[in-house]
Structures are given as structure tokens and as C-alpha cells.
Amino acid sequence: MHKQEAERHRTEWHRRAGTARRRPRRLISPAVTVRLLRHISAPTTGKRPIGANPLTSRETELARLVARGCSNADIAAELFVSVGTVKTHVANIQAKLGVANRVGIAAWTWETGRATP
């Protein structure tokens, strides 16, 4: 069997099984995300109420680091915890805020005035 024919068979099998290969999602660089959020978020002047914070103080601290564009490894080093602990906190924050990803966390942090430039 030739390579092309074998690949065609694999592709057909995946299609029928519902496991067709999909393109990986392209993510925006954390640095670009931070610059964008800084640009679109109005700076807080103390006049806008922050509102209730559904996060613990530790989760808020972590959300600020996410909003700054820090990676999980960077956050782990900053907070003296494991990368696994950071991932757990990120997942808990996403659930509490009802957001799908780190960009949602960063957006919430900037929009509520909890992020610092």
C-alpha cells in the first residue's frame, strides 16, 4: 500500500469514527493579549466601583499575574507553588468567572480594575 493510499484510509477511518483531525487552535501571545487589554480597558480612577469579588485573595493574585501575561511556570515561581497548583487555580478561576480561557481571566481582571500595569 502506498503512503498516500494509507493516509487516505486513515483519514476516512477517522472521519467515520468522528475523530477527524482538526487544526490546532491558534492562541494569541500573552504579551499581545496584555497590550490589547491595556489598550481597551479604561484606567481606573477610583470612581468606578470594582464590585464583588468572587475569587479568594490568592486567586485574585493569580488572576493579576495572568492579566500581566505570565505563563504557568512564571506564576509558579512568583508564588512559590507548583505548576500543577497554578493550573488548578486557573481552572477554578475560569469556573468561578464563567470564562473559557486565560484571556477571559485577563479581561475580567482589567475590566474590574484589579489589574495593575
Side-chain angles (χ1 to χ4, degrees), residues 29-50:
S29 151
V32 171
T33 302
V34 169
R35 284 185 13 219
L36 175 65
L37 288 170
R38 282 182 182 159
H39 179 72
I40 63 173
S41 297
T44 58
T45 60
K47 295 178 183 175
R48 186 177 62 174
I50 290 178

Side-chain angles (χ1 to χ4, degrees), residues 65-109:
L65 293 171
V66 168
R68 275 201 258 156
C70 295
S71 68
N72 287 345
D74 294 337
I75 295 169
E78 176 82 19
L79 301 180
F80 302 102
V81 296
S82 71
V83 173
T85 300
V86 172
K87 290 179 182 181
T88 299
H89 279 305
V90 169
N92 291 340
I93 293 167
Q94 286 176 262
K96 286 182 177 183
L97 299 180
V99 297
N101 52 40
R102 297 169 73 91
V103 174
I105 294 172
W108 176 86
T109 307

